[in-house]
Amino acid sequence: MLSRRRFLHTGLAAGALALATSSRAADVALGQAMDASVPAGVAYDPAPFTLGVASGDPLPGSVILWTRIAPEPLRGGGAGEAPVEVAWVVAEDPRLRRVVASGTTTARADFGHSVHVDVTGLEPATVYFYAFTALGRRSRIGRTRTAPAPGSTDEVSFAFVSCQAFDAAHYAAYREVVRQRPDFVVHLGDYIYEGGGPDTSAERAHVGAEPFDLATYRTRYALYKGDVNLKAAHAAAPFVVTWDDHEVDNNYRGLHPQDENAAEGNDSPEAFSARRQAAYQAYYEHMPIRLPAGPAVGGDMQIYRSLTFGDVIDLSIIDTRQHSSDQPSTENPTVGGDARDPSRTILGEAQRAWLLDRLSSRSAAWSCIGNQVQVHPINVPAGLPDVVDDLIATIGVPLNGEPGLNGDSWDGFVADRERLLGHVAAEGIPDVVVITGDIHSHWVADLSTDFGDPTAPVVATEFVGTSVSSDGLPAGTNAAVRALLAPTNPHIRFVEGEQRGIALVRATPDRWRTTFRTVDDPQDPTSAMSTLAAWEVSRGQAGAVQVG
């Protein structure tokens, strides 16, 4: 599958530790695959909790616990049509002896027998352990942590990740979550990839054809969630998730699929609306997410939301897909044309108003925006070799002589970018950090209200993390990319695109530090990790400084 990230990179360049055992550990070891036909790196937990456990969206007194009853994960789940009663327990210790909360819930077939329990009455900034029981079996034991209470100035640690194409590489980066035990993990999208069917030559081939309905999306999630490193990470720390495009269709926006010109078939307006609804429901069924308006029952599902971690971080998770206008038109895609149309939006009016209000009203030291696609522009100079220019021109839309415009990023929605950064500048909102995924590479950039003026004041910092597994720049091209971008991109402080990995953040009221950790060998599920670079932002001082 060809995407804007692959073209951008090519053009510019010319077991894991389990936290506990289940009641069937003597019968089936955690690292043993249930089916010899499953791809490398996949080993399902004992039925019916084959997909493991997870927690998410931690608040000071509560957290979401997740599992799914799926005794046959790659065959639709295999739990039948009857509801299943599921018991859950939360304790202070990993043996589940000091129980603080417990209860039962019903896993229903219409939501894939998924379970979402909002456990309340917990203590802030506290580690807990949890498990589920159903059909006479117990799940593995998971570990979670609640958010610190308002007033806390203790350091907050978290990781952020994105883009985990199953068939591209293993998920060794997630071993860092198990080792480091961050307070939480932010997943910025592309949790699954929808494209393609089985590639018999790949060690980690997709199972099944490209998904278009609820059943096939469930199978795709079941494949990804069988990865041993991903399951271990979910069992080690709570996740805060949002989606990007591949959870539905590459480069889609709103109700506009990638191949919108198709008048019929899977990309007709009616078919794509049904496809998106199925994809959204499957996402909910497999994520430990607390939805402001509940799960999708129609065409839309609100996932933009906020979480606060003491007086240190106010985290706004945004959605740059569902409420977005389409990419700039092929007739007038340039920065001076359709991309600047003020009626076009990447956020939608309601979400934009919500985000600007969050930024203005925050009381924590740092405002962090969990974002999918790059906010800062990438200005590619003119006069490139034809082969490079042609490749860049296919990033996502025809660029008509404007090769620096990536129409699927905030570059394609200039008015919304100006509204966001202009609001930060006009309101004098300090200490704003954007964390981003999508582009399979590392970037550190200064954000200003005028990227054409190198003297314009910096109003925020953007850290872009590389992919967990999805392909990036070819080996040996980093230096050439940096040399190409340096003359026309003074706002870009750092770029690296050859490595896969994870970003780790440690924040105090006075300092924000982002460390890029990379995988030594993406094809090795037990690969060691190395530190690529570390950058810090000091409170009250816009702009990042490299410290490692």
Side-chain angles (χ1 to χ4, degrees):
M1 177 179 56
L2 208 52
S3 72
R4 63 190 176 281
R5 305 134 177 122
R6 175 69 59 84
F7 274 121
L8 177 62
H9 294 149
T10 305
L12 289 173
L17 172 66
L19 292 178
T21 59
S22 76
S23 61
R24 290 184 64 196
D27 301 321
V28 183
L30 176 60
Q32 179 183 2
M34 290 176 57
D35 185 337
S37 67
V38 299
V42 171
Y44 291 106
D45 283 13
F49 300 104
T50 54
L51 305 182
V53 300
S55 66
D57 284 358
L59 301 178
S62 66
V63 68
I64 298 292
L65 303 183
W66 172 91
T67 192
R68 182 180 167 213
I69 304 301
E72 297 180 8
L74 297 180
R75 299 179 178 88
E81 295 299 318
V84 177
E85 184 175 272
V86 182
W88 56 270
V89 62
V90 178
E92 297 175 328
D93 65 299
R95 295 189 176 185
L96 305 181
R97 292 176 175 174
R98 299 194 299 275
V99 174
V100 298
S102 62
T104 60
T105 188
T106 300
R108 295 162 32 200
D110 52 345
F111 282 100
H113 290 99
S114 61
V115 174
H116 298 77
V117 178
D118 192 352
V119 182
T120 60
L122 304 177
E123 294 296 317
T126 300
V127 171
Y128 291 100
F129 301 87
Y130 63 94
F132 298 91
T133 303
L135 304 175
R137 302 291 184 178
R138 195 180 75 179
S139 71
R140 70 162 70 194
I141 297 173
R143 174 188 178 275
T144 191
R145 190 179 192 275
T146 51
S152 172
T153 58
D154 292 343
E155 181 181 80
V156 174
S157 68
F158 71 94
F160 64 93
V161 295
S162 63
C163 304
Q164 53 192 45
F166 181 86
D167 54 353
H170 284 276
Y171 294 168
Y174 278 119
R175 292 168 63 84
E176 196 75 352
V177 173
V178 178
R179 282 192 292 261
Q180 298 284 349
R181 302 282 182 91
D183 297 340
F184 58 97
V185 178
V186 179
H187 199 294
L188 295 167
D190 292 346
Y191 191 99
I192 64 165
Y193 277 63
E194 85 294 357
D199 177 359
T200 55
S201 66
E203 182 186 37
R204 282 166 63 85
H206 277 137
V207 173
E210 180 172 349
F212 290 98
D213 57 22
L214 182 56
T216 50
Y217 275 108
R218 283 172 174 167
T219 297
R220 187 58 55 94
Y221 275 102
L223 173 67
Y224 276 61
K225 294 185 79 70
D227 181 273
V228 292
N229 287 327
L230 177 57
K231 282 194 300 179
H234 271 301
F239 274 52
V240 178
V241 299
T242 187
W243 52 39
D244 196 13
D245 54 338
H246 286 292
E247 286 85 354
V248 181
D249 179 41
N250 180 51
N251 282 9
Y252 94 95
R253 290 203 162 276
L255 285 170
H256 304 279
Q258 181 180 30
D259 300 317
E260 189 171 20
N261 291 331
E264 56 186 25
N266 292 318
D267 291 306
S268 69
E270 297 79 11
F272 184 73
S273 177
R275 179 184 188 180
R276 195 187 79 160
Q277 182 175 345
Y280 284 5
Q281 178 170 332
Y283 183 84
Y284 168 74
E285 290 177 355
H286 292 88
M287 294 296 117
I289 188 172
R290 177 187 288 105
L291 296 177
V297 293
D300 297 331
M301 188 168 82
Q302 181 186 330
I303 66 167
Y304 66 83
R305 61 203 189 282
S306 63
L307 299 96
T308 301
F309 297 87
D311 283 357
V312 180
I313 297 176
D314 184 276
L315 175 61
S316 297
I317 297 295
I318 64 173
D319 173 1
T320 60
R321 291 289 167 187
Q322 179 177 195
H323 312 288
S324 175
S325 306
D326 198 8
Q327 296 179 15
S329 71
T330 57
E331 288 77 22
N332 191 21
T334 66
V335 172
D338 194 43
R340 279 196 178 274
D341 183 344
S343 69
R344 299 182 66 261
T345 176
I346 195 170
L347 295 174
E349 292 185 10
Q351 181 179 199
R352 183 174 63 243
W354 166 84
L355 177 60
L356 299 187
D357 180 67
R358 290 292 307 177
L359 292 171
S360 295
S361 61
R362 81 128 194 272
S363 59
W366 302 93
S367 282
C368 178
I369 301 174
N371 164 64
Q372 290 77 54
V373 294
Q374 278 181 300
V375 175
H376 73 269
I378 304 172
N379 300 314
V380 180
L384 297 175
D386 288 344
V387 64
V388 177
D389 199 42
D390 290 345
L391 285 168
I392 292 173
T394 53
I395 290 169
V397 293
L399 301 179
N400 294 351
E402 294 282 347
L405 171 65
N406 177 0
D408 196 57
S409 74
W410 286 71
D411 254 359
F413 307 87
V414 175
D416 253 7
R417 181 167 65 196
E418 291 178 345
R419 293 181 187 110
L420 171 61
L421 299 179
H423 178 81
V424 172
E427 296 283 316
I429 302 170
D431 310 313
V432 176
V433 175
V434 180
I435 57 172
T436 300
D438 177 70
I439 204 165
H440 311 176
S441 43
H442 300 95
W443 305 73
V444 179
D446 295 331
L447 301 182
S448 73
T449 56
D450 186 354
F451 291 98
D453 179 3
T455 67
V458 177
V459 301
T461 297
E462 182 173 23
F463 293 106
V464 182
T466 193
S467 57
V468 170
S469 61
S470 304
D471 292 341
L473 290 172
T477 57
N478 276 326
V481 169
R482 291 168 184 150
L484 175 67
L485 296 180
T488 53
N489 295 272
H491 57 283
I492 295 177
R493 308 291 303 285
F494 179 80
V495 58
E496 189 286 325
E498 299 176 22
Q499 305 295 316
R500 315 279 66 77
I502 188 169
L504 300 176
V505 174
R506 292 190 176 275
T508 70
D510 301 316
R511 174 183 53 81
W512 177 290
R513 183 183 180 109
T514 297
T515 301
F516 296 131
R517 294 277 290 167
T518 56
V519 176
D520 292 351
D521 180 2
Q523 301 303 325
D524 178 0
T526 63
S527 175
M529 303 282 291
S530 303
T531 296
L532 173 68
W535 288 75
E536 285 188 359
V537 182
S538 296
R539 179 94 177 270
Q541 300 178 24
V545 176
Q546 188 166 5
V547 295

